[in-house]
Amino acid sequence: MVQTFNRALADWARSDGLTWAFIFKALLTAFLALWLAYRLELPQPGTVLVTVFIVMQPQSGQVLAKSFYRIIGTLLGLTVMVALIALFNQERVLFMLCLAIWIGLCTAGAARYRDFRGYACVLAGYTAVMIGLPATTHPDDAFMLALWRVLEISLGILCTGLVNGLILPQSTSTDLRNTLHGRFRDFAAFACEGLAGGLDTARFDASTARFAAAAVSLENMRSATAFEDPHMRMRSGRLARLNNEFMVLSTRFHGLHQLLRRLTVGASSAREGSEPTEFASRAGSYGGIVLASLQPCLAEIAGLLAPLRDRLSSEAEAAQLAIRLEACKQELMQLIRSGRAQLAMQQPSEAQSLDYDTAAELLYRFADDLHNYAQTHASLLDDHHAREQWKENFRPRANAVAAAVAGLRSSLLILVLSVFWMATAWPSGGTFAMTIGMVSALASSSSNPRRLSLQLTLGASAGACLGIFMTFRVLPDIDGFALLCCALAPVVALGAWMLARPQVAGAGLGLLVWFAMTSMPANQTLFDPHRVLNEYLASVLSMALATAAAAVLLPPNRPWLWRRLEHDLRMCVVRAVSGRMKGLVSGFESGTRDLLNQAYLYSAGRPDVQRQLLRWMFLVQEVGHAVIELRLEQARLPALSCYAESMPWRNAIRAMGRALVRLFIQPSEANRQRALSAVEQAIDSVRGTAEPCAPQFETSPLRRLQSYLHFIRTSLLDPQTPLTGDAVPARLQGAAHAA
């Protein structure tokens, strides 16, 4: 009985208990900040609470990171606004024009970066609005008003950081460790099923999208842990390296799985007696005997991963895994040689030999990548380690056009509402324009600005009803800070409860922020029904306009952005062919995953679009990764005449690179055929070049180059590639193919 109760209590503490802890800390932070604001006689205590509610997060690392970037954004917004007030304090039109341009730039920056740097852009934008618009009506007091806003914001940041760091702290580093361990456990199960041929298309697609999203979120968590945990800060380089090595590992497995899938489809078609298609005849014979020769090698790696798929592996277990992988790589090499000998006894065709060599190379590289990952994971046991020296960074990619559209939308809204304000002389016109700037800035980093704007509007509308009731029915009848806290507690608790739930977090933020802005009593409380009603009317109307604009003015979750992101994905191959080698691997891995993660978020509810984007992702990863391996292999070649830059095979590979660039810039059947011809010419040229070294696969760089070229050819020949489109005859869709 006691054990059952303890288990139930532990389950509650990990679920609903976290929500109640967050609500408790939100109440404590809000009342502490409000008490200090009243004691210090700050002009607008509501601004302190607005800061608290915006910075408040469940985990202390996220709070500290957001606080740091909020201070940066606040100081940047203050600097710009003071400069604009000094230049245009007597010319409201020019001031509003410059303010609209600044808000547009900040919104574009938030849409561009979408991490903590983007949060700084958000803060620089709406801090400028909070400081600048009130100053336009009182230019003589503008500088002191700006300083008061900065002090109020700083007080809210300080209180939030102290409470979250000292009271029931929820560490981001713990979440990061759990994410790391859980991701590898899921990948081990995923890889075991794939090596055994048990992965269907739906599961493969869903797992690929999930791993891409995990890579992006883990990078954000790594940045947050640097603010709260000195032990994790000493391991920041290894965590970045670990994330990059996992992306390389998953890309390698993806290439291996795709090749095995093509071989399996080819073998199945051969057993059924299907007539060879154009794809099959150009790629070679079917892959049944190749798969049989590879089976012991695949079983070796699957057996190593099988025990890891049911538990979270610690750093100590990762060290043991690294030792086992070191021995496994030697055994795998022997198995590959044995399989090659077994295949040779069956007199394989040249295409089958290339299939085996390509799959064996991918499998061995997969084991090597797995070994590197295990070594880096094990190194987290030590405070200092040589693997900390990692200079590559996660490079997020966002579409510049989409960011520019978000910035232009915000600028236009600010300009339109400012013109309305100046034309009507509405007393609450400043709040009208200020709210639209804040909503645009907050929604700019969302994958669905219309949905977030609508939630903010609904939350602010509920806050208006509660605020009017509190202002005229509750606050006049209370006396003292304790009773004020009792009156405000239900509203703050309700908003915090909504903030703790991602589905309605926008509504909770709208309720708390606009309730604090409009209904929070100042040190000199003034009960003015006309002002309160005007302020809430201005806020709700401007939010409704922001929601309509986000739904009408080029919303990001529409086909125009999906096409742009698809184009950006294709450009990753162009950079793989022609980009600088420094940082090429990490840039390619992080860029493709960030683009896929964005595309998946923007196309939510459209599985057909998501499937098409995934097909492009698979092709880009296959071809781009093979091209990078080709370039790395060529960079390691010894200084021999057969490897000289002027050799015909070098020129053939360069010609192939140009053909691939043309194909991925302008996908078409004609360009695909040109690229295939260029790849085959490169294979023939490499095959016809003599080497002085032994003709073994391990010692022959040109044989390894052949395997990469062959893999590129199989990717271009795959009937499931999006390159085929409508140009390929219907009879070829879903046809048998063996690489």
Side-chain angles (χ1 to χ4, degrees):
M1 187 71 178
V2 176
Q3 291 181 347
T4 303
F5 174 78
N6 291 336
R7 190 180 305 111
L9 184 62
D11 292 339
W12 179 86
R14 287 191 295 267
S15 54
D16 290 342
L18 296 177
T19 301
W20 285 106
F22 179 72
I23 293 173
F24 169 73
K25 289 193 290 185
L27 290 168
L28 181 60
T29 306
F31 296 150
L32 173 63
L34 192 60
W35 181 79
L36 288 173
Y38 286 139
R39 292 293 294 175
L40 297 174
E41 297 186 358
L42 298 179
Q44 293 187 5
T47 303
V48 181
L49 285 191
V50 168
T51 303
V52 168
F53 297 140
I54 290 178
V55 173
M56 178 69 71
Q57 294 290 317
Q59 295 174 334
S60 57
Q62 293 177 342
V63 170
L64 295 174
K66 292 188 75 172
S67 299
F68 174 76
Y69 284 100
R70 181 177 176 96
I71 290 175
I72 292 177
T74 299
L75 294 177
L76 183 59
L78 169 67
T79 303
V80 172
M81 280 303 98
V82 169
L84 291 181
I85 291 168
L87 291 172
F88 306 114
N89 61 343
Q90 300 296 329
E91 183 52 63
R92 184 181 293 186
V93 175
L94 290 177
F95 177 84
M96 294 305 302
L97 178 62
C98 292
L99 178 63
I101 293 173
W102 174 250
I103 293 297
L105 291 174
C106 292
T107 304
R112 178 74 171 171
Y113 293 111
R114 295 167 296 101
D115 54 12
F116 289 117
R117 292 176 298 174
Y119 183 69
C121 293
V122 170
L123 270 297
Y126 79 68
T127 299
V129 173
M130 291 177 66
I131 293 174
L133 287 180
T136 58
T137 56
H138 303 284
D140 294 338
D141 300 327
F143 185 73
M144 288 306 301
L145 288 173
L147 289 183
W148 281 122
R149 295 297 87 75
V150 172
L151 289 174
E152 291 158 359
I153 290 170
S154 301
L155 177 61
I157 291 172
L158 178 63
C159 292
T160 309
L162 284 175
V163 171
N164 279 271
L166 299 177
I167 309 296
L168 299 175
Q170 297 179 33
S171 174
T172 308
S173 58
T174 301
D175 195 19
L176 185 144
R177 287 193 179 95
N178 292 336
T179 302
L180 273 177
H181 299 165
R183 181 179 68 171
F184 187 72
R185 177 200 59 196
D186 295 342
F187 179 77
F190 174 70
C192 283
E193 288 188 48
L195 293 173
L199 274 180
D200 57 20
T201 301
R203 177 167 163 74
F204 184 78
D205 292 354
S207 297
T208 301
R210 189 175 70 252
F211 289 140
V216 177
S217 64
L218 193 139
E219 177 63 20
N220 290 332
M221 282 192 286
R222 183 187 69 86
S223 301
T225 56
F227 288 91
E228 68 169 2
D229 191 341
H231 298 287
M232 300 304 287
R233 188 159 54 246
M234 289 189 291
R235 293 162 173 79
S236 183
R238 277 169 283 172
L239 290 170
R241 181 174 190 155
L242 199 64
N243 201 24
N244 183 77
E245 287 174 345
F246 181 84
M247 291 188 290
V248 172
L249 180 66
S250 59
T251 300
R252 189 85 65 185
F253 177 76
H254 163 258
L256 175 63
H257 177 268
Q258 293 294 84
L259 182 56
L260 294 176
R261 176 186 62 79
R262 293 164 194 148
L263 291 172
T264 303
V265 170
S268 301
S269 299
R271 287 193 298 269
E272 295 167 3
S274 302
E275 182 180 352
T277 65
E278 176 189 356
F279 289 105
S281 61
R282 292 183 65 178
S285 301
Y286 300 115
I289 61 173
V290 177
L291 285 172
S293 302
L294 278 170
Q295 197 56 45
C297 307
L298 300 175
E300 178 74 15
I301 301 299
L304 191 67
L305 290 173
L308 305 174
R309 59 186 176 181
D310 298 323
R311 67 175 188 270
L312 299 177
S313 300
S314 65
E315 285 77 10
E317 290 175 315
Q320 296 298 320
L321 175 63
I323 295 172
R324 292 196 298 270
L325 280 165
E326 183 67 35
C328 176
K329 285 163 60 178
Q330 300 301 320
E331 296 173 8
L332 183 61
M333 187 64 72
Q334 295 300 323
L335 290 173
I336 289 173
R337 293 192 183 108
S338 299
R340 188 178 288 114
Q342 176 186 342
L343 182 66
M345 294 173 61
Q346 304 183 51
Q347 298 181 346
S349 65
E350 183 179 345
Q352 288 172 326
S353 297
L354 268 177
D355 283 334
Y356 182 88
D357 286 345
T358 303
E361 175 71 3
L362 286 170
L363 185 61
Y364 185 80
R365 291 295 186 92
F366 175 70
D368 189 54
D369 292 336
L370 195 59
H371 184 224
N372 289 333
Y373 180 88
Q375 286 180 306
T376 305
H377 192 187
S379 72
L380 296 177
L381 283 169
D382 303 322
D383 288 340
H384 303 283
H385 198 277
R387 298 183 81 86
E388 182 69 22
Q389 305 306 314
W390 178 255
K391 299 186 182 300
E392 304 291 341
N393 294 318
F394 188 96
R395 300 179 187 178
R397 293 191 182 277
N399 187 264
V401 175
V405 166
L408 183 61
R409 186 191 302 121
S410 297
S411 294
L412 288 175
L413 287 172
I414 287 286
L415 284 175
V416 170
L417 297 191
S418 299
V419 169
F420 177 80
W421 174 27
M422 289 183 285
T424 60
W426 187 11
S428 295
T431 302
F432 195 44
M434 180 171 65
T435 300
I436 203 76
M438 294 178 66
V439 172
S440 298
L442 289 171
S444 60
S445 57
S446 171
S447 60
N448 193 339
R450 183 189 65 82
R451 180 174 178 272
L452 180 57
S453 300
L454 180 60
Q455 285 194 354
L456 290 172
T457 304
L458 294 176
S461 301
C465 297
L466 290 173
I468 292 172
F469 175 77
M470 291 284 294
T471 301
F472 302 114
R473 296 294 298 174
V474 177
L475 295 182
D477 297 330
I478 63 174
D479 183 22
F481 184 74
L483 289 178
L484 176 63
C485 291
C486 293
L488 297 178
V491 179
V492 176
L494 174 62
W497 179 84
M498 296 172 72
L499 274 179
R501 281 160 168 72
Q503 298 85 356
V504 292
L509 184 64
L511 186 152
L512 290 175
V513 167
W514 273 270
F515 177 84
M517 283 178 57
T518 308
S519 301
M520 194 57 56
N523 274 304
Q524 294 182 348
T525 305
L526 177 64
F527 293 98
D528 185 352
H530 294 288
R531 185 194 68 83
V532 172
L533 291 175
N534 265 288
E535 292 292 303
Y536 272 123
L537 179 64
S539 298
V540 174
L541 280 179
S542 60
M543 285 183 173
L545 289 175
T547 304
V552 174
L553 298 178
L554 292 177
N557 55 340
R558 303 302 299 164
W560 72 272
L561 184 55
W562 305 337
R563 289 191 291 268
R564 296 295 307 179
L565 291 174
E566 178 190 299
H567 175 268
D568 291 346
L569 267 175
R570 299 200 309 268
M571 289 304 100
C572 290
V573 176
V574 175
R575 282 187 287 272
V577 173
S578 57
R580 293 190 309 166
M581 287 302 300
K582 183 179 180 180
L584 183 61
V585 174
S586 60
F588 177 81
E589 298 291 351
S590 57
T592 52
R593 281 161 178 80
D594 189 41
L595 288 169
L596 176 65
N597 188 46
Q598 293 175 66
Y600 240 68
L601 291 173
Y602 290 136
S603 57
R606 289 292 304 272
D608 55 330
V609 175
Q610 291 179 332
R611 281 194 300 270
Q612 181 69 4
L613 289 167
L614 268 174
R615 292 173 70 197
W616 275 114
M617 171 71 171
F618 294 156
L619 180 65
V620 165
Q621 282 197 329
E622 291 175 35
V623 176
H625 200 260
V627 167
I628 292 173
E629 292 291 346
L630 269 174
R631 295 182 63 183
L632 291 172
E633 191 71 50
Q634 291 179 81
R636 292 190 293 262
L637 289 174
L640 299 175
S641 59
C642 61
Y643 305 135
E645 290 287 341
S646 58
M647 289 295 291
W649 68 266
R650 290 266 201 177
N651 294 327
I653 288 179
R654 283 192 282 267
M656 179 203 69
R658 292 191 292 271
L660 289 175
V661 167
R662 187 184 304 113
L663 171 63
F664 280 88
I665 290 177
Q666 294 181 337
S668 67
E669 179 61 17
N671 284 338
R672 189 174 75 96
Q673 293 298 331
R674 292 190 189 97
L676 276 169
S677 177
V679 173
E680 289 169 354
Q681 288 177 11
I683 292 175
D684 293 339
S685 182
V686 171
R687 184 189 300 121
T689 303
E691 287 183 280
C693 53
Q696 299 295 326
F697 189 83
E698 304 85 45
T699 59
S700 172
L702 293 188
R703 287 192 66 179
R704 292 194 293 272
L705 290 177
Q706 276 191 69
S707 70
Y708 300 134
L709 293 168
H710 179 65
F711 184 73
I712 293 173
R713 180 174 64 178
T714 64
S715 299
L716 298 180
L717 284 170
D718 192 339
Q720 294 187 12
T721 176
L723 290 171
T724 55
D726 297 330
V728 182
R731 65 181 178 86
L732 298 179
Q733 300 299 323
H737 164 62

